[in-house]
Amino acid sequence: MPPGAVAKIKVAVQTRQDPNFLIIARTDARTTLGLDEALRRAEQYARAGADILFVESPESEDEMKKICSTFDLPCLANMVEGGRTPVLSREELQSLGYRLAIFPAAAFLAAGAAFESIYRNIQETGSSVGSQTPLYPFNKFSEMMGFDWVARFDSEH
């Protein structure tokens, strides 16, 4: 176990000031040390007061179900397209016992596909005009990036 991992969770629990602040305890032991060791570590994190358990990289739905059925705490699933863990729907995850899921890679993988598609179109046709790749409206993108705030700041200073 990483030195001090349980102690860090205990300190976080003891110093928590907002009851809405949830402590997620993650173990990456599954990949290198096996599922049993990952479950042992997660159990220690649960006893230390973690609110949510995150056992990274289960390699099958059976492992995912075992993780969730082992604990009375909510478990978090990390859905990474192309990773070791099967990417499942909300309903499938709930049926296995998961209460939370994150999809940290989906947006940048989609962006990568869009980059490849639009630049291939530009290379082949010499323009973005007529591309089948949907383009986000420039004014919405500018707003999302805060460019309106920058323009107001510049005009006031």
Side-chain angles (χ1 to χ4, degrees):
M1 168 144 341
V6 171
K8 289 177 185 177
I9 294 167
K10 287 180 180 179
V11 168
V13 170
Q14 292 167 357
T15 59
R16 175 177 20 206
Q17 296 178 7
D18 183 341
N20 294 314
F21 185 86
L22 299 176
I23 298 165
I24 301 172
R26 173 180 172 155
T27 177
D28 290 349
R30 166 60 189 100
T31 300
T32 55
L33 302 173
L35 184 60
D36 289 339
E37 177 61 17
L39 294 174
R40 187 185 73 73
R41 291 178 183 205
E43 176 61 35
Q44 289 185 338
Y45 299 158
R47 279 190 262 135
D51 300 301
I52 299 167
L53 298 175
F54 178 4
V55 177
E56 174 67 313
S57 294
E59 297 183 4
S60 68
E61 289 183 39
D62 287 340
E63 286 190 8
M64 296 169 79
K65 187 173 186 173
K66 183 174 183 178
I67 290 165
C68 292
S69 66
T70 299
F71 305 103
D72 289 332
L73 291 175
C75 290
L76 181 144
N78 188 17
M79 300 285 93
V80 177
E81 296 78 1
R84 296 174 184 265
T85 303
V87 177
L88 305 174
S89 70
R90 173 187 304 158
E91 293 76 21
E92 291 168 317
L93 289 166
Q94 287 175 336
S95 75
L96 295 174
Y98 283 94
R99 303 263 301 275
L100 298 160
I102 57 174
F103 291 78
F108 71 76
L109 293 173
F115 289 157
E116 182 178 60
S117 175
I118 193 69
Y119 287 124
R120 183 181 323 104
N121 186 80
I122 292 169
Q123 184 178 33
E124 292 171 0
T125 69
S127 176
S128 61
V129 174
S131 172
Q132 297 301 306
T133 305
L135 300 177
Y136 199 72
F138 187 77
N139 62 334
K140 285 181 70 176
F141 182 80
S142 295
E143 183 179 315
M144 178 179 65
M145 296 300 294
F147 293 157
D148 55 338
W149 179 89
V150 172
R152 279 193 312 276
F153 179 84
D154 284 347
S155 69
E156 293 170 3
H157 295 93

